[in-house]
Amino acid sequence: MKIVLAQQNYHIGNFEKNTQKIIDAIQQAKKEKADLIVFSELCICGYPPRDFLEFEDFIEECYKAIDKIREHADTIGVIVGSPMRNPEKEGKDLFNAAWLLYEKEVKGFAHKTCLPTYDVFDEYRYFEPGYSWNTVEFKGKKIALTICEDIWNLGDNPLYRICPMDELIKQNPDLMINISASPFDYDHDDDRKEIIRRNVLKYKLPMFYCNAIGSQTEVVFDGGSLVLDAQGNIIKELKYFEEDFAVVEMFVDGRPLTANESNLHHKANTEQRSSNNIPFDKEMRVAKIKDAEKIIEYLTSENNIRQIHDALILGIRDYFGKMGFSKAILDAEQLSKNLGNRYDIIPIENIYDSFLSTLKPVFENLPFNVAEENIQSRTRGNLLMAIANKFGYILLNTSNKSELATGYGTLYGDMAGGLSVLGDVYKMQVYALAKYINHDREIIPENILIKEPSAELRPDQKDSDSLPAYDILDKVLYQYIEKRQGPKEIIAMGIDEQLVNRILKLVNTNEYKRNQFCPIIRVSCKAFGVGRRVPIVGKYLS
Amino acid sequence: MKIVLAQQNYHIGNFEKNTQKIIDAIQQAKKEKADLIVFSELCICGYPPRDFLEFEDFIEECYKAIDKIREHADTIGVIVGSPMRNPEKEGKDLFNAAWLLYEKEVKGFAHKTCLPTYDVFDEYRYFEPGYSWNTVEFKGKKIALTICEDIWNLGDNPLYRICPMDELIKQNPDLMINISASPFDYDHDDDRKEIIRRNVLKYKLPMFYCNAIGSQTEVVFDGGSLVLDAQGNIIKELKYFEEDFAVVEMFVDGRPLTANESNLHHKANTEQRSSNNIPFDKEMRVAKIKDAEKIIEYLTSENNIRQIHDALILGIRDYFGKMGFSKAILDAEQLSKNLGNRYDIIPIENIYDSFLSTLKPVFENLPFNVAEENIQSRTRGNLLMAIANKFGYILLNTSNKSELATGYGTLYGDMAGGLSVLGDVYKMQVYALAKYINHDREIIPENILIKEPSAELRPDQKDSDSLPAYDILDKVLYQYIEKRQGPKEIIAMGIDEQLVNRILKLVNTNEYKRNQFCPIIRVSCKAFGVGRRVPIVGKYLS
């Protein structure tokens, strides 16, 4: 039995394009004489569809697309993800479902049971959790069909009270298929392989795992779909940050293929993780590094920086492609020279002076303060936006996570822009990323790496006038934001109490600024934006 | 038995202030010789605490506050709302709980079962749903204790598969107590009374219902706590949009008080609603008006406008109070004169000219377009922000819901500001609100009501150059946003197909602008902001 994994990039709500993409892959799979083709979670409408799911019209479009695809699922089985209406009156109206289409009919389905509702995920907002479990039959084989988070509920301290595979295994399935929309973050590198391996070893079944790829505003799905044999060996690993298509011959003489019989086979490289005793349960959802002394080393490690680099490129490319932009604008003379890009030097003095003289009667003779600094920053922002508006460019925002965390930025000034590229990258990581990009030749000007950071809004201004050194700041921020540690734990790391309190207060009192910020490409396990929801009028650690 | 309802306004995460407020009410209740005092949902930390709940430190603060309050719950019973740790390893770590404190001990508790996870609510993000149900005993009476949404799961088409009161009633309770944080919206005026009445009639028990009041960034809680006798008559109704404190003698000679024995008694005024056959189930969560022809009449009705007015005042006042602002800035000469407020006239010409001359080399001789319009709007925004920054004011944003919906506004220009007052009020409602405010004398200048709306960014510009007439626009927007109707249903109302498609496309393609907008005081059942989450890179009806 030949099974295809189709790892594709969808556009949310673009039914015509998504459906055509799926049908194209089905045609290709037919040419390969495959028996079954597997797509990713909610591939029909794209993931995450968010509140579009609340429109009956949107659900009808999903059903129409399923009907179209069904016509092509004649001699080949097709597993797709799409919302399914709940036939019961009780509970939410929809399930997050996997559909098995074959002989132009719906031959089986599975409802997602474990609905991620944390960080960037809101699935219980829309879906009723599955509450009955049945394998689906295909060509004489029983498939344990699950959806993404359904296979992540392992460990002693699980997030959900039900583990769907524990139910499905009672029906003696022959293989597991999981369709996913599992996003990238550098804090959880390799977790996916490990969780799949643990499922394989627990249930002693081969696993076909199909993940989505592509960036959806802020969330980056990185692909890396997998096939494991029943012994936990990887038979096939699909590309990361790219679309991919793989055919796997699963059964040889009626028995499952073993790694020795496949072309690609290596043990899931998870020994290191396992030896760290990293639990695959609730704690999985926060950052994992335990050694506080090594945080900066960890954050700036080449492995993490390389993946951040790839994720950001996909994030920018998909935002452009899906929003219809082709050109960006930002502010950086030497970098433009290095890249051979057009640049303009636009002095802000005249505009700044006209602001000051216009405001003179109102400001009276009050001393220079943040108001004048912000005028400069906003003048820059306005000039960039004016050019973007005139020529149809997008203004890329360049604030980093350390600045956003501490509110070290001007609303409508340097915080302006349509997409934040570095908003989930700490300052120390920005340096490491620049060095990584400069690996072969100087692209990022060396001067940016060595000069003292400054907002350049008054003479001799330095970031360090207002903020602690970035290596200390980033360590505290990471403990607080990614690891959700409180002041007690952070102080216990040996960092000055007053400093810790000051930093946490900066983070919490500047929520109002981040609330007006553009989408941030998410690369960590806790980015500002849709995945981090804290009250603005709150009074906590502030 | 004397029971007190304490309807209070909390500050999220401000444990010191909230705890003191609760203790003060306990002292007052003791003076009144009350047996039991009831506070609202999550009163200890304030509602909604959002991701603060993910910090162990925050939960510890909740427990410390409970310990403090327990010391005052000696001769009086105290029911408060606060997170409770889940002793089981399986499932989320917290419950949303009601605690009964008495004789300085925790005498009982209830876990919230129906966790609202829609619109502005994210409760399943944090809490495990309750899965066992027991009445709590107090002074020989059995209390069916529930939390907010727990009593809303009625009707033929309920949102949740479990109805906690159906479980609790099996233990023959003597009365029901529900602690709530139930927000205001004008679309659901009177629903609360009706749902409480239906519970009372279904279970044949008196109900003590304590709601929160106060505005938390965007969500306005309006109070209106209630006591109903077992026949469905209102014995006590607390104030709306204000704190309140009420003592009710519940039992007379050992039997429950009847309405005839209370001072205040009138039937819950719900006949009209009931006769409309409005379902109390899933459909409850969308706007209810069925007669599409009467939408504008409904939106601008005096009953709705009066409540919107009161909610906005509370929303502004609490945002100021909780964020520490005392003065605001906005742009309106005649209004300032009418109110006797300071105003300044600041010409933008010089600044605008300096922008144009600075940009001339880049813009070359391209024709005037939206870029120049936006420069004007952003110059105004910058001037307002500069004054706000210089003097520590907050810039109040004046965009209305019709403008935000269609993207008729300039990012960083007229869309700037710290709080949006009218962002959930359609243009037709803005007019009605102005007339309501002008009830006794002209406060809002008459000219604003009669002149043709204009952004005033080029000569003779009118909103109607770009947008359909507001009475048609608002009708379409309300059908789409509040009632979640698709294009088919809206066109079926008799509105031109092209116009409907154009409006829906405007709404969907401008999500990127609203994503950077400030918090909006929510008065409808579907406000832009945290309660409406749609993809930015989506391609749906666009």
Side-chain angles (χ1 to χ4, degrees):
Chain A
M1 180 183 278
K2 273 190 183 168
I3 301 181
V4 170
L5 296 185
Q7 176 176 299
Q8 300 187 313
N9 189 346
Y10 305 103
H11 191 181
I12 294 167
N14 196 336
F15 292 100
E16 199 179 319
K17 197 172 148 195
N18 296 345
T19 303
Q20 194 52 53
K21 197 168 234 188
I22 289 166
I23 291 171
D24 288 348
I26 293 173
Q27 306 297 15
Q28 194 185 338
K30 284 180 179 174
K31 280 186 203 151
E32 302 268 2
K33 305 211 182 307
D35 297 282
L36 182 65
I37 179 166
V38 182
F39 295 88
S40 58
E41 180 181 10
L42 294 187
C43 58
I44 299 289
C45 56
Y47 187 99
R50 301 221 163 108
D51 286 5
F52 286 158
L53 289 169
E54 298 186 345
F55 288 84
E56 181 55 29
D57 176 78
F58 190 84
I59 305 304
E60 275 172 29
E61 293 288 339
C62 293
Y63 271 78
K64 278 187 218 161
I66 289 273
D67 284 344
K68 267 192 209 151
I69 292 164
R70 214 156 33 79
E71 291 303 307
H72 298 268
D74 42 14
T75 57
I76 187 172
V78 174
I79 293 177
V80 289
S82 193
M84 187 178 283
R85 293 198 180 99
N86 181 356
E88 303 288 329
K89 289 220 158 203
E90 292 78 15
K92 308 220 177 194
D93 286 337
L94 296 175
F95 291 107
N96 180 345
W99 305 57
L100 170 62
L101 312 175
Y102 182 49
E103 296 172 339
K104 300 192 180 185
E105 288 175 5
V106 179
K107 294 285 189 185
F109 59 83
H111 296 156
K112 189 171 184 177
T113 304
C114 302
L115 296 178
T117 306
Y118 54 80
D119 195 56
V120 296
F121 300 106
D122 282 301
E123 292 198 21
Y124 184 65
R125 185 174 168 93
Y126 314 106
F127 298 116
E128 183 67 18
Y131 48 81
S132 67
W133 302 274
N134 291 294
T135 55
V136 297
E137 295 242 355
F138 180 70
K139 293 199 173 181
K141 300 290 175 193
K142 277 190 189 169
I143 302 170
L145 183 58
T146 56
I147 303 172
C148 203
E149 189 97 340
D150 281 342
I151 58 168
W152 288 71
N153 203 39
L154 302 180
D156 294 331
N157 189 15
L159 188 60
Y160 308 91
R161 298 175 68 225
I162 291 171
C163 176
M165 267 309 304
D166 284 353
E167 306 300 321
L168 289 167
I169 197 70
K170 297 172 188 168
Q171 298 176 24
N172 297 313
D174 298 294
L175 72 160
M176 297 185 281
I177 295 180
N178 180 275
I179 67 169
S180 281
S182 174
F184 164 77
D185 76 69
Y186 63 82
D187 269 315
H188 293 90
D189 175 30
D190 270 345
D191 276 9
R192 218 179 280 142
K193 276 188 199 167
E194 174 63 9
I195 207 81
I196 290 167
R197 194 181 71 100
R198 290 196 190 193
N199 272 275
V200 161
L201 297 182
K202 181 174 176 188
Y203 301 111
K204 302 185 174 52
L205 292 174
M207 169 76 90
F208 286 77
Y209 173 88
C210 187
N211 194 20
I213 98 113
S215 184
Q216 308 290 3
T217 312
E218 55 278 279
V219 187
V220 179
F221 299 90
D222 61 339
S225 301
L226 288 168
V227 181
L228 268 72
D229 71 13
Q231 288 74 47
N233 304 298
I234 293 175
I235 286 180
K236 192 83 195 173
E237 179 171 8
L238 277 69
K239 289 179 188 159
Y240 288 83
F241 302 110
E242 282 183 58
E243 291 199 334
D244 205 355
F245 180 97
V247 191
V248 178
E249 177 57 70
M250 195 49 206
F251 294 96
V252 177
D253 306 329
R255 62 169 174 76
L257 184 78
T258 65
N260 289 336
E261 290 158 339
S262 72
N263 296 326
L264 178 82
H265 48 90
H266 56 81
K267 292 219 175 201
N269 177 23
T270 52
E271 284 69 18
Q272 193 202 340
R273 293 273 172 191
S274 311
S275 69
N276 280 346
N277 283 322
I278 292 159
F280 277 81
D281 51 26
K282 280 173 214 162
E283 282 191 43
M284 190 168 51
R285 283 146 190 103
V286 299
K288 287 183 177 171
I289 177 170
K290 298 281 182 194
D291 189 344
E293 281 310 299
K294 293 191 174 158
I295 287 174
I296 299 298
E297 196 180 310
Y298 164 75
L299 286 176
T300 59
S301 72
E302 177 156 345
N303 184 45
N304 283 346
I305 295 298
R306 180 179 39 78
Q307 293 185 77
I308 291 170
H309 174 265
D310 294 350
L312 294 181
I313 286 178
L314 178 58
I316 298 167
R317 184 184 290 145
D318 267 14
Y319 194 85
F320 273 57
K322 291 172 182 177
M323 293 290 276
F325 288 105
S326 58
K327 289 195 177 176
I329 180 170
L330 48 79
D331 203 352
E333 178 186 353
Q334 188 59 48
L335 176 63
S336 302
K337 285 182 183 165
N338 290 357
L339 290 169
N341 287 346
R342 172 180 171 169
Y343 68 94
D344 291 287
I345 297 175
I346 304 175
I348 66 165
E349 283 86 348
N350 286 347
I351 300 168
Y352 178 59
D353 288 346
S354 66
F355 267 109
L356 293 190
S357 60
T358 298
L359 283 164
K360 201 171 167 50
V362 184
F363 278 10
E364 292 155 357
N365 289 310
L366 289 166
F368 178 100
N369 73 351
V370 70
E372 284 83 359
E373 291 188 18
N374 285 342
I375 290 172
Q376 295 171 62
S377 181
R378 291 189 182 120
T379 297
R380 289 181 192 158
N382 282 9
L383 287 168
L384 288 162
M385 285 301 293
I387 297 169
N389 289 162
K390 185 56 97 184
F391 298 100
Y393 305 158
I394 181 174
L395 171 59
L396 284 182
N397 178 280
T398 55
S399 299
N400 62 56
K401 190 171 191 174
S402 311
E403 291 165 344
L404 290 174
T406 53
Y408 199 70
T410 300
L411 267 177
Y412 324 135
D414 58 315
M415 290 181 73
L419 178 70
S420 164
V421 178
L422 296 172
D424 198 28
V425 184
Y426 287 115
K427 181 77 172 183
M428 295 300 290
Q429 294 179 302
V430 174
Y431 286 124
L433 188 59
K435 284 178 194 154
Y436 176 82
I437 290 169
N438 284 354
H439 182 261
D440 292 326
R441 63 182 178 105
E442 185 181 309
I443 294 169
I444 314 289
E446 192 70 19
N447 187 42
I448 289 180
L449 302 177
I450 52 178
K451 75 169 179 186
E452 179 99 20
S454 169
E456 298 176 5
L457 297 172
R458 54 184 142 83
D460 300 324
Q461 186 181 29
K462 293 188 185 67
D463 289 12
S464 57
D465 303 341
S466 313
L467 299 176
Y470 279 113
D471 57 341
I472 295 171
L473 177 64
D474 287 355
K475 196 187 285 191
V476 173
L477 292 175
Y478 183 79
Q479 287 292 108
Y480 181 56
I481 296 165
E482 273 87 347
K483 289 182 67 67
R484 302 183 207 166
Q485 299 293 298
K488 268 203 307 269
E489 292 86 353
I490 302 175
I491 292 161
M493 286 166 58
I495 299 173
D496 178 68
E497 179 172 345
Q498 275 195 314
L499 182 62
V500 170
N501 290 338
R502 192 179 131 224
I503 294 172
L504 302 195
K505 183 172 176 162
L506 280 174
V507 177
N508 285 354
T509 54
N510 282 295
E511 191 56 36
Y512 79 98
K513 281 192 184 177
R514 290 188 294 270
N515 186 253
Q516 295 191 37
F517 193 57
C518 58
I520 297 167
I521 302 172
R522 174 185 176 276
V523 294
S524 79
C525 66
K526 189 53 78 180
F528 293 123
V530 72
R532 189 174 182 278
R533 304 173 191 169
V534 299
I536 292 177
V537 299
K539 175 86 185 151
Y540 172 58
L541 305 179
S542 63
Chain B
M1 180 184 275
K2 271 189 184 170
I3 302 182
V4 170
L5 297 185
Q7 176 176 298
Q8 299 187 315
N9 188 345
Y10 304 103
H11 192 179
I12 295 167
N14 196 336
F15 292 100
E16 200 178 317
K17 197 173 147 196
N18 296 345
T19 303
Q20 194 53 53
K21 197 169 235 187
I22 289 165
I23 291 171
D24 289 348
I26 293 173
Q27 306 298 14
Q28 194 185 338
K30 284 179 178 174
K31 280 186 202 148
E32 303 268 4
K33 304 207 183 311
D35 297 280
L36 182 64
I37 179 167
V38 182
F39 295 89
S40 59
E41 180 181 10
L42 295 187
C43 58
I44 300 290
C45 56
Y47 188 99
R50 301 223 162 109
D51 286 5
F52 286 159
L53 289 169
E54 297 186 345
F55 288 83
E56 181 56 29
D57 175 78
F58 189 85
I59 305 303
E60 276 172 29
E61 293 289 339
C62 292
Y63 272 79
K64 278 187 217 159
I66 289 273
D67 284 343
K68 267 192 209 151
I69 292 163
R70 216 160 26 83
E71 291 303 307
H72 298 269
D74 41 12
T75 58
I76 187 171
V78 174
I79 291 177
V80 288
S82 193
M84 186 178 284
R85 292 198 181 98
N86 181 356
E88 304 289 331
K89 290 221 157 201
E90 292 78 15
K92 308 222 176 194
D93 285 338
L94 297 175
F95 291 108
N96 180 346
W99 304 58
L100 170 62
L101 313 175
Y102 183 49
E103 295 172 337
K104 300 192 179 183
E105 288 174 6
V106 179
K107 294 285 189 186
F109 59 85
H111 295 156
K112 189 172 184 177
T113 304
C114 301
L115 297 177
T117 306
Y118 54 80
D119 194 55
V120 297
F121 299 106
D122 282 301
E123 291 199 22
Y124 184 65
R125 186 174 169 92
Y126 313 106
F127 299 116
E128 184 67 18
Y131 48 83
S132 65
W133 301 274
N134 290 293
T135 55
V136 297
E137 295 243 356
F138 179 69
K139 293 197 172 179
K141 300 288 176 196
K142 276 190 190 169
I143 302 170
L145 183 57
T146 56
I147 304 172
C148 204
E149 189 98 339
D150 281 343
I151 58 167
W152 288 71
N153 203 40
L154 302 180
D156 294 331
N157 188 15
L159 188 59
Y160 308 91
R161 297 177 67 225
I162 291 170
C163 176
M165 268 309 302
D166 284 352
E167 305 299 320
L168 289 166
I169 198 68
K170 297 171 188 167
Q171 299 176 24
N172 296 314
D174 297 293
L175 73 159
M176 298 185 280
I177 294 180
N178 181 275
I179 67 170
S180 282
S182 174
F184 163 76
D185 75 70
Y186 64 82
D187 269 315
H188 294 91
D189 175 32
D190 271 344
D191 276 8
R192 217 179 280 141
K193 274 187 197 165
E194 174 62 9
I195 205 81
I196 291 167
R197 194 181 71 99
R198 291 197 190 190
N199 273 276
V200 161
L201 297 181
K202 179 174 179 188
Y203 301 111
K204 301 184 173 54
L205 292 175
M207 169 75 90
F208 286 78
Y209 172 88
C210 187
N211 194 20
I213 95 113
S215 183
Q216 308 290 2
T217 313
E218 55 278 279
V219 188
V220 179
F221 299 90
D222 61 340
S225 300
L226 288 166
V227 181
L228 268 71
D229 70 14
Q231 289 73 45
N233 304 299
I234 293 176
I235 287 179
K236 192 83 195 171
E237 179 171 8
L238 277 68
K239 289 178 187 158
Y240 288 81
F241 301 110
E242 282 183 57
E243 292 198 332
D244 204 354
F245 180 97
V247 191
V248 178
E249 176 60 68
M250 193 52 204
F251 294 96
V252 176
D253 306 328
R255 63 169 174 77
L257 183 79
T258 65
N260 289 336
E261 291 157 338
S262 72
N263 296 325
L264 178 80
H265 48 89
H266 57 82
K267 292 220 176 204
N269 176 24
T270 51
E271 284 68 17
Q272 194 201 338
R273 293 274 173 189
S274 312
S275 68
N276 281 344
N277 283 323
I278 293 158
F280 277 81
D281 51 28
K282 280 173 215 164
E283 282 193 44
M284 190 167 53
R285 283 146 189 101
V286 298
K288 288 183 178 170
I289 178 171
K290 297 281 182 193
D291 189 345
E293 280 310 298
K294 292 190 175 160
I295 288 175
I296 299 298
E297 195 181 312
Y298 165 75
L299 285 176
T300 59
S301 73
E302 176 155 345
N303 184 44
N304 283 346
I305 295 298
R306 180 179 40 77
Q307 293 184 78
I308 290 170
H309 174 265
D310 294 350
L312 294 180
I313 287 178
L314 178 59
I316 298 168
R317 185 184 288 144
D318 266 14
Y319 193 85
F320 273 57
K322 291 172 182 177
M323 293 292 275
F325 288 105
S326 58
K327 288 195 178 174
I329 180 170
L330 49 80
D331 203 354
E333 178 186 354
Q334 189 58 47
L335 176 63
S336 303
K337 284 181 182 165
N338 290 356
L339 290 168
N341 286 346
R342 174 182 169 168
Y343 69 93
D344 291 287
I345 296 175
I346 304 175
I348 65 165
E349 281 87 348
N350 286 347
I351 299 168
Y352 178 59
D353 289 344
S354 67
F355 266 109
L356 292 190
S357 60
T358 297
L359 282 165
K360 200 170 168 52
V362 184
F363 278 9
E364 293 155 357
N365 287 312
L366 289 166
F368 179 101
N369 74 350
V370 70
E372 284 83 0
E373 290 188 18
N374 285 342
I375 290 172
Q376 295 172 61
S377 180
R378 291 189 182 118
T379 297
R380 289 180 192 158
N382 281 10
L383 287 167
L384 288 162
M385 285 300 293
I387 297 168
N389 289 162
K390 185 56 98 184
F391 297 101
Y393 304 158
I394 181 175
L395 171 58
L396 284 183
N397 179 279
T398 56
S399 300
N400 62 57
K401 191 171 191 173
S402 311
E403 291 166 342
L404 290 173
T406 52
Y408 199 70
T410 300
L411 267 178
Y412 324 135
D414 59 316
M415 290 182 73
L419 178 69
S420 163
V421 178
L422 295 173
D424 198 28
V425 184
Y426 286 114
K427 182 75 172 184
M428 294 301 290
Q429 294 179 301
V430 174
Y431 284 125
L433 189 58
K435 285 179 194 152
Y436 176 82
I437 291 169
N438 283 355
H439 181 262
D440 292 327
R441 64 183 177 101
E442 184 181 311
I443 294 170
I444 314 289
E446 192 70 20
N447 187 42
I448 288 181
L449 302 177
I450 51 177
K451 75 169 178 185
E452 179 98 19
S454 169
E456 297 175 7
L457 298 171
R458 53 184 142 83
D460 302 322
Q461 185 180 29
K462 294 187 185 68
D463 289 11
S464 56
D465 303 339
S466 313
L467 299 176
Y470 279 113
D471 57 343
I472 295 171
L473 177 64
D474 287 356
K475 198 188 284 192
V476 173
L477 292 174
Y478 184 79
Q479 287 291 107
Y480 182 57
I481 296 165
E482 273 87 346
K483 290 182 67 68
R484 301 182 209 166
Q485 300 294 301
K488 267 202 308 269
E489 293 86 352
I490 302 175
I491 292 162
M493 285 166 60
I495 299 172
D496 178 68
E497 179 172 347
Q498 274 196 314
L499 181 64
V500 170
N501 290 339
R502 190 177 135 224
I503 294 172
L504 303 196
K505 183 172 176 163
L506 280 174
V507 176
N508 285 356
T509 53
N510 281 293
E511 191 56 36
Y512 78 99
K513 281 191 184 178
R514 290 187 295 269
N515 187 254
Q516 295 192 38
F517 194 59
C518 58
I520 297 167
I521 302 172
R522 174 185 175 277
V523 295
S524 79
C525 66
K526 188 53 76 179
F528 293 123
V530 72
R532 189 173 182 279
R533 303 173 191 169
V534 298
I536 292 176
V537 298
K539 176 85 186 153
Y540 172 58
L541 305 179
S542 64

